[in-house]
């Protein structure tokens, strides 16, 4: 097994892995903070995004399914969908040298400095972990330290991708000093106080 150089990515992947382990078959159809997507669709999207990073980094294949058009129908368990994607992306990122000026990524501008590229993949995984957690009644894995560490990547990436990968910022959002997670979520267009709609 390859030893990771990227603690932030490890933390985000562990967050996504942990909440995915708490997803039951019945929960796959539950609504999420991602407008019009259920838990199964968010899982497919999150896995597809990581496969897209792996494909860009290695020149290999990306996701077989468009991450922005997930069906929500899983062929196996949530973990069977997620684990190969995380393994492929972790292996790909293990070959990225800290300090590299240009690293291939699957989102505009398609190259980023190494630390920003890694943080972008971590941001994606961690925020989707939060989506799944709040949709399924689990504790949020987006702790203050992780949220604060991801904030610079969000600020570097969000504005050029508003309306595509990120929704408009919710303003005013929580204070980043007192609520780093809530502030990050609001910056990315998610309501930090989102709760599942009444049945």
């Amino acid at each position: 097994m390859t030893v990771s150089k990227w603690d932030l990515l490890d933390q985000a992947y562990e967050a996504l892995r942990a909440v995915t382990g708490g997803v039951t078959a019945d929960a796959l159809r539950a609504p999420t903070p991602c407008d019009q997507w259920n838990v199964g669709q968010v899982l497919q999207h999150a896995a597809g995004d990581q496969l897209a990073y792996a494909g860009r980094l290695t020149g290999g294949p990306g996701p077989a399914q468009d991450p922005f058009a997930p069906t929500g129908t899983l062929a196996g368990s949530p973990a069977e969908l997620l684990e190969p994607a995380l393994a492929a992306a972790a292996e790909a990122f293990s070959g990225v040298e800290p300090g590299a000026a240009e690293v291939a990524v699957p989102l505009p501008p398609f190259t980023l400095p190494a630390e920003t590229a890694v943080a972008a993949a971590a941001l994606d995984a961690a925020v989707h972990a939060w989506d799944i957690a709040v949709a399924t009644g689990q504790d949020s894995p987006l702790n203050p330290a992780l949220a604060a560490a991801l904030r610079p990547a969000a600020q570097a990436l969000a504005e050029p991708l508003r309306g595509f990968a990120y929704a408009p910022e919710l303003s005013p959002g929580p204070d980043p000093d007192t609520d780093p997670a809530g502030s990050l979520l609001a910056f990315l267009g998610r309501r930090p106080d989102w709760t599942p709609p009444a049945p």
Side-chain angles (χ1 to χ4, degrees), residues 30 35 37 49 52 74 92 96 104 108 112 114-115 141 155 162 166 171 173 186 198:
D35 190 33
W37 282 4
D49 282 352
L74 276 59
V96 173
L112 292 169
E115 283 71 13
Q155 291 175 316
R162 296 283 187 195
Y166 302 108
S171 184

Side-chain angles (χ1 to χ4, degrees), residues 3-15 17 90 93-94 96 98 115 118-119 121-123 126 143 145-146 149-150:
V3 177
S4 175
K5 303 171 187 159
W6 303 105
D7 182 63
L8 183 62
L9 193 65
D10 292 343
Q11 291 179 53
Y13 283 0
E14 185 52 39
R17 184 178 286 116
F93 275 111
S94 73
V96 173
E115 283 71 13
V118 170
L123 177 69
N143 62 58
L146 179 58
L150 292 169

